[in-house]
Amino acid sequence: NVAHNRLATAASVEALRECASTLDVLDLSSNQLPGDALDAVGALAPTLRVLYLRRNPLVEHVSSTMGSYRKRLIARFAHLSYLDDQPVNANERRTAEAWAVGGDASEAAVRESFQTEARDRVRRNTQYMMKLKENALTKRRASEAAASSASMEAAVALVAAAGVTGGASSSLSAKGGSGSSEPAARRSSLPPGAGASMPSAGKLRAASAEEGEASDGTGPADHAPASGASCVSTGDIGDSWKPAWDRALLREARQCHHNWQVVAQRLRAVPGGPVLSARECAERWAQLDEDSGTLT
C-alpha cells in the first residue's frame, strides 16, 4: 500500500520492482502518477489481482488518449479481479479483451454472444424440465398399470378363495368347448371354479353373506342398496333376470377393469338392479358373450 505518497514519476513506481514477484495487491491511489507510468505499473506486476489507481492523473490521461480507462486496464492485466472500487467479472473481461483487439465492433459481437448463450441456457433448462415431466408421467402410468394389475389379481384371488369346487370348473370348461372362441378364452382366464353355472338363489344368498363377512368384516346388511334404490336380491333372480342386467354387467366389468368388488357395488347402485356378490358377478360374466350380451 503506497497510497498518498506523492508518487509523481514512473521511476517511483519502478522502485517497487524488488517485491514484484510476490505482489498480488497494489494500492497506488491518491498519488500524482502521470500517464506514462502505466507501462511501469504493467511491467511491475503482470500477475496483479487487485489494483487501485483512482485519483491519479494517469486515469484521465488513459481515458482521453486510449479510450476507456477501465477496459484498457482489464485487458492489460490478465489476472485482475478487482479494479479500483469494482470487481471484474468474466463477461466484463471478455468484452474488454474484445474491445482491445477489435474495437467497438468486436465488443458488440461479444455482447451479442452473451444473449445467444443466455437463450441457449433457457432452452436447455426448458428441455431438461420437459424431460423430467415426461419421466414423471411415464413412472406414474407404470405405477397406475401396476396398481390395476394388482387389483385384478386381488379380485381373482378373492374369487378363488370363495371355495368354488374344481368339478364346477371342469363342467364350465366342457361347456365352453361348444361355444364361441372368445367366451371360452375369457372363461379360461378365470381361476378354477369361477366360471361355474349360476347356483341356486339360496346358495347365492349364503355365499354373498359369507363373502361380505369374510372380505370386509361386515354382515349382509352392510351390502344393502343405497337408500331410495330398489334392487333385486339374489333370492328374487330366477326367471326374473333381465337381459339389461347382463349388458350392465359387461359394461361395468370393462369400465372397472374386472374389479368384481367394484362391479358388484355399481350394479347395486342401479335402481332396480341385482344384488350380487363379487363371485357371482365373475361367474355370470364368464357365461356371457361379449358381443351379444347373451349366455353362451
Side-chain angles (χ1 to χ4, degrees):
N1 185 347
V2 289
H4 302 279
N5 275 276
R6 299 182 181 181
L7 303 180
T9 64
S12 61
V13 175
E14 292 175 356
L16 300 174
R17 191 179 297 274
E18 295 179 0
C19 58
S21 60
T22 59
L23 198 58
D24 288 332
V25 180
L26 178 59
D27 187 355
L28 290 170
S29 60
S30 302
N31 283 294
Q32 300 297 320
L33 294 176
D36 58 356
L38 178 62
D39 293 334
V41 174
L44 177 64
T47 61
L48 203 62
R49 297 183 181 277
V50 180
L51 176 63
Y52 295 94
L53 279 175
R54 56 189 174 184
R55 293 189 294 273
N56 274 291
L58 178 148
V59 176
E60 296 181 1
H61 173 78
V62 172
S63 299
S64 60
T65 60
M66 302 181 184
S68 172
Y69 154 77
R70 186 171 178 85
K71 293 177 186 176
R72 181 68 63 180
L73 267 291
I74 292 174
R76 181 70 176 267
F77 296 93
H79 301 280
L80 199 65
S81 60
Y82 212 96
L83 176 60
D84 290 335
D85 56 350
Q86 293 182 8
V88 179
N89 58 44
N91 286 347
E92 186 179 16
R93 174 164 295 284
R94 288 175 59 184
T95 56
E97 292 175 350
W99 173 83
V101 173
D104 293 338
S106 296
E107 181 183 1
V110 170
R111 293 188 182 278
E112 178 64 26
S113 70
F114 292 163
Q115 298 180 5
T116 302
E117 292 170 1
R119 289 192 293 267
D120 290 342
R121 285 194 299 272
V122 171
R123 183 177 65 255
R124 288 194 300 270
N125 290 340
T126 302
Q127 292 174 349
Y128 176 74
M129 294 303 297
M130 292 298 295
K131 187 65 176 178
L132 288 181
K133 183 178 180 180
E134 292 175 1
N135 291 341
L137 183 59
T138 301
K139 290 181 180 179
R140 189 183 72 180
R141 288 174 176 171
S143 177
E144 291 176 349
S148 177
S149 177
S151 177
M152 182 60 185
E153 292 176 359
V156 171
L158 180 63
V159 173
V164 181
T165 62
S169 176
S170 300
S171 175
L172 176 60
S173 300
K175 180 180 179 180
S178 60
S180 62
S181 60
E182 183 193 359
R186 290 193 292 111
R187 285 193 294 271
S188 65
S189 66
L190 291 175
S197 59
M198 292 292 287
S200 64
K203 291 182 179 179
L204 284 176
R205 281 197 301 271
S208 177
E210 292 174 0
E211 180 183 340
E213 294 173 351
S215 61
D216 55 13
T218 61
D222 296 313
H223 295 281
S227 177
S230 176
C231 296
V232 178
S233 67
T234 54
D236 300 328
I237 292 178
D239 296 334
S240 65
W241 185 268
K242 299 179 181 179
W245 295 345
D246 287 333
R247 292 192 295 271
L249 175 60
L250 291 172
R251 182 182 67 253
E252 297 298 343
R254 287 193 299 268
Q255 294 180 354
C256 299
H257 304 288
H258 304 92
N259 187 333
W260 301 116
Q261 289 283 14
V262 178
V263 171
Q265 293 174 4
R266 295 181 66 165
L267 286 177
R268 296 188 195 111
V270 176
V275 179
L276 300 178
S277 68
R279 180 173 61 84
E280 293 164 356
C281 289
E283 291 174 347
R284 183 73 182 183
W285 171 84
Q287 301 175 62
L288 294 177
D289 185 290
E290 186 75 24
D291 296 325
S292 64
T294 60
L295 291 175
T296 57

